[in-house]
Amino acid sequence: MTREIYIVGNWKMNQKISDIESFFNAMKKIKGKYNCHAWVAPQAMHIETCLKLGRDNGILVGSQNCADHQSGAYTGELSPLSLKDIGAHFSIIGHSERRHIYGEVDNYLNAKTLLALQSGLWAIFCVGEKLEEREAGKTNEVVKRQVTEGLKNIPSEYHDRIIIAYEPVWAIGTGKTATPQQAQEVHSFIRNELLEQINLDAKAISILYGGSVKPSNVKELLGQNDIDGALVGGASLKGEDFGKLCMPE
Ligand code: PGA
């Protein structure tokens, strides 16, 4: 496996059916023109609709979260095995909104990641520091803990389905993008120091940046040595914008 470019839309708790139809209609116009992997993560009840509409455009579909159990009495949870069964391709795991609003911690995220991979899904594992942690000079310490704890003990047979997303919490949904240099520093730290510690192949793992990525800044971010794509919230909701992200001029 080698590093590749991924543009992943995280739609969060947004998009009605009509918005989704408009999105795929816009993407249809540029079908075949983007040279990255284009993936979207809608709300769970829209995954099947997106699978149908995405098929013609080569857009793969995944979930924003999944459970740490395959099946059973876990009301309200989303089984990774069932996600795979309906044709989902990946799950985002450990998004900062899951960590900080819903209290998901490293060990729990490690269990979810392993189970998602065992179920045949790709895992987009998210890490990132809060503003106060950055200001206290703790960015590397926090990211190191999140990466090494969250991705520990994953058998090597699954490594080729792991993607990491670095998303500084202070840049998510705030309009404050990390500068390409700030992002590159953390990506390089993850790739060159952390992956080795958990026996992941630094040359093979794609590391995406997330946090206020938009058509006007994507090119410069993707131009950094260790940035392999973007996990995008707000600017992924409209097909016109997402299309621009997928083929930066
Ligand atoms: P944003 O969200 O692009 O709206 O900042 C990114 C994310 O939360 O993945």
Side-chain angles (χ1 to χ4, degrees), residues 170-241:
W170 48 272
I172 296 178
T174 58
K176 278 190 212 152
T177 325
T179 64
Q181 294 69 26
Q182 280 173 322
Q184 166 58 26
E185 263 173 38
V186 180
H187 281 233
S188 166
F189 173 63
I190 293 172
R191 190 181 306 286
N192 298 317
E193 296 185 42
L194 302 186
L195 294 185
E196 205 173 280
Q197 295 181 26
I198 45 172
N199 291 322
L200 288 176
D201 183 355
K203 289 194 207 72
I205 298 267
S206 297
I207 307 177
L208 318 185
Y209 168 78
S212 299
V213 175
K214 41 192 183 273
S216 59
N217 62 19
V218 70
K219 198 172 169 205
E220 212 189 338
L221 287 161
L222 294 189
Q224 304 301 308
N225 278 343
D226 290 296
I227 301 185
D228 303 311
L231 181 55
V232 189
S236 72
L237 297 174
K238 294 213 163 23
E240 289 78 5
D241 293 336

Side-chain angles (χ1 to χ4, degrees), residues 22-84:
S22 306
F23 174 93
F24 284 105
N25 283 338
M27 287 304 286
K28 212 178 277 170
K29 294 189 189 130
I30 57 160
K31 183 181 169 180
K33 293 200 186 138
Y34 35 91
N35 48 7
C36 62
H37 297 278
W39 295 2
V40 292
Q43 299 184 73
M45 74 290 255
H46 292 148
I47 290 177
E48 292 212 74
T49 302
C50 291
L51 282 167
K52 284 195 199 97
L53 296 174
R55 209 164 282 143
D56 286 346
N57 299 306
I59 296 175
L60 298 182
V61 181
S63 64
Q64 300 170 10
N65 183 26
C66 68
D68 63 334
H69 291 88
Q70 295 290 35
S71 64
Y74 303 102
T75 303
E77 286 292 322
L78 210 54
S79 155
L81 209 53
S82 301
L83 284 166
K84 181 66 186 168

